[in-house]
Amino acid sequence: MLRMPSIPRPGWQETITSQGRGFHHNVTPGPNDRPYWDESVYYSFTLAQVEELERVVDELHRMCLNVVDHVIERKRFADFGIPDWLHQPITASWKRRDAHVFGRFDLCYDGRGHAKLLEYNADTPTSLVEAAVIQWFWKRDTHPGADQWNSIHEHLINRWHTIGSGPLHLAHTAEEASGEDALNVAYMADTAAAAGLATHLLTMEQIGWDTGRQAFVDDQQRPIDTLYKLYPWEWLTSDDFGPAAVETQKRTPWVEPLWKMLLSNKALLALLWELHPGHPNLLPAYLDGPRDLSAYVAKPLLGREGAAIQIVTPAERHSAPGDYGAEGYVYQDFWPLPDVGGWRPVLGAWVIGDEPAGLGIRETQGLITDNTSSFVPHLIIG
């Protein structure tokens, strides 16, 4: 795995804007001024490395589904801090096998040793447009003879065929100010339309509840049956209309389904280690404290974008700001990201349905990947 220099395309800002990336502003202002999308570098993988990553993602996905089965059979919801009233609905969602679309595994990998799972974004993963579209067109324009691990677009279209034939509503919260969520939702609508589904975009705030019909309705008072929501279940279930949303799942499950609450919670990391101790693609992780770990990362069970993470080693301590943590923490073995020319990459490996589908890379100069980390493309060469 090599980090290679590359000459940016003339007018690349206008190019990626036309391809759906509506913002590419600098995320690290100052002496290390850098845009969010950075095509002045790329990562190069061999085919053998990518095939190994595909195998790892496939195995991790199946292990995660087994965790859901285990938690439900053993009634271990308390480990995830999930309120009692949600236990039965989550169980019912899993037993119905409510359809799921996608997720993103964040991996630590240096191209030589075993890839290590850092966390799983299973409910509301983002960085989708740049992974599926922007880096693919970059490859086509700059390295047409090379390959890329990237069949995300095709997999998404195929997956929508399994969701249903009726109108699909797609929503994000209007409170997300950067525009990233809106872009991701618009792209999901494009892939659903390519699968032949009628689509309608709106915000979560525009969704209403019709007491007469006992149904959610859109901004035109039409009933919402199938909904893709870029809005996490832990937020939704704590909203005033949360109980009605959960009750609705019996008739018209939303995407991602309710059972994904067990995979979007970082307690998953501890359960994976408990069920598969010593697995080469896992890191030791515990819910009751760091135990015998001499260096560890304390992660809020429901944290996002690296917020409120603490890294503790015998020599130093690093903390990221954030308001998460009231729900509890998981304590994971500290496995530093590889230093590649002064930058530390995190590999975001996508699974669509039940299939590994592609790769996106974000990198930082620090130890914690957050919303200031840049996205860089990749190629398969050799």
Side-chain angles (χ1 to χ4, degrees):
M1 187 179 80
L2 303 174
R3 188 176 189 268
M4 307 294 292
S6 183
I7 299 174
R9 295 165 293 175
W12 64 266
Q13 297 94 334
E14 292 77 15
T15 297
I16 69 171
T17 297
S18 70
Q19 293 165 353
R21 189 70 206 177
F23 63 96
H24 42 71
H25 53 271
N26 295 330
V27 293
T28 53
N32 295 318
D33 196 24
R34 189 181 190 192
Y36 170 74
W37 164 266
D38 188 354
E39 59 182 69
S40 69
V41 295
Y42 68 90
Y43 281 85
S44 172
F45 296 84
T46 66
L47 179 60
Q49 289 172 329
V50 169
E51 289 176 339
E52 171 62 10
L53 288 171
E54 286 184 294
R55 185 199 65 77
V56 168
V57 170
D58 182 70
E59 185 171 359
L60 288 173
H61 174 66
R62 298 182 193 287
M63 288 162 59
C64 287
L65 296 182
N66 288 337
V67 167
V68 178
D69 227 15
H70 172 84
V71 170
I72 286 173
E73 294 230 353
R74 304 295 179 89
K75 297 179 170 56
R76 297 187 60 180
F77 296 95
D79 290 332
F80 293 73
I82 293 175
D84 292 347
W85 70 279
L86 288 169
H87 297 182
Q88 192 283 326
I90 291 173
T91 299
S93 174
W94 175 246
K95 289 185 175 180
R96 288 191 305 263
R97 293 300 192 267
D98 290 344
H100 64 289
V101 173
F102 68 158
R104 192 191 75 234
F105 289 103
D106 286 349
L107 306 173
C108 178
Y109 182 62
D110 63 4
R112 297 183 296 276
H114 295 291
K116 300 290 187 181
L117 175 63
L118 300 176
E119 58 186 69
Y120 186 24
N121 300 275
D123 186 16
T124 56
T126 54
S127 300
L128 181 60
V129 177
E130 46 270 53
V133 179
I134 306 302
Q135 69 168 343
W136 177 259
F137 282 109
W138 168 84
K139 181 206 80 72
R140 190 195 65 178
D141 291 345
T142 62
H143 299 80
D147 203 355
Q148 189 177 83
W149 182 20
N150 191 356
S151 58
I152 300 170
H153 187 79
E154 295 81 3
H155 273 77
L156 281 172
I157 294 171
N158 290 336
R159 189 61 181 171
W160 285 121
H161 287 298
T162 72
I163 300 302
S165 57
L168 173 68
H169 287 78
L170 304 98
H172 64 92
T173 176
E175 294 182 2
E176 202 284 308
S178 73
E180 181 176 14
D181 285 3
L183 286 171
N184 279 271
V185 170
Y187 173 64
M188 290 295 276
D190 287 344
T191 59
L197 297 180
T199 63
H200 181 74
L201 279 71
L202 72 170
T203 66
M204 294 297 294
E205 291 78 6
Q206 290 175 313
I207 295 175
W209 175 253
D210 188 312
T211 55
R213 287 184 283 183
Q214 289 291 290
F216 286 99
V217 294
D218 64 16
D219 51 341
Q220 299 178 26
Q221 298 304 304
R222 297 174 301 186
I224 294 175
D225 291 329
T226 305
L227 174 71
Y228 166 75
K229 48 157 205 63
L230 192 57
Y231 190 78
W233 271 112
E234 66 266 20
W235 294 1
L236 201 156
T237 54
S238 64
D239 288 339
D240 291 341
F241 58 85
V246 171
E247 179 67 20
T248 300
Q249 301 309 298
K250 297 177 183 178
R251 306 186 301 274
T252 54
W254 295 349
V255 176
E256 293 293 305
L258 193 57
W259 59 262
K260 278 286 190 87
M261 289 190 78
L262 297 176
L263 297 185
S264 60
N265 184 308
K266 292 181 183 60
L268 168 71
L269 301 172
L271 270 289
L272 281 169
W273 184 253
E274 176 186 328
L275 298 178
H276 304 277
H279 191 285
N281 301 120
L282 299 176
L283 294 169
Y286 310 103
L287 291 171
D288 57 358
R291 297 192 186 181
D292 59 350
L293 299 176
S294 59
Y296 63 89
V297 184
K299 298 181 176 180
L301 297 186
L302 299 175
R304 297 176 179 278
E305 293 280 6
I309 281 179
Q310 301 173 35
I311 298 176
V312 179
T313 72
E316 55 189 343
R317 187 185 194 107
H318 300 271
S319 296
D323 297 328
Y324 299 103
E327 66 278 359
Y329 287 81
V330 66
Y331 301 86
Q332 185 184 52
D333 188 25
F334 176 49
W335 196 270
L337 297 172
D339 186 329
V340 186
W343 292 91
R344 299 179 182 272
V346 168
L347 275 57
W350 291 87
V351 56
I352 312 295
D354 298 306
E355 302 293 333
L359 178 69
I361 301 174
R362 295 186 70 182
E363 60 177 13
T364 179
Q365 287 186 308
L367 296 175
I368 299 174
T369 305
D370 57 21
N371 59 4
T372 69
S373 303
S374 292
F375 189 103
V376 298
H378 78 278
L379 297 172
I380 302 173
I381 299 177

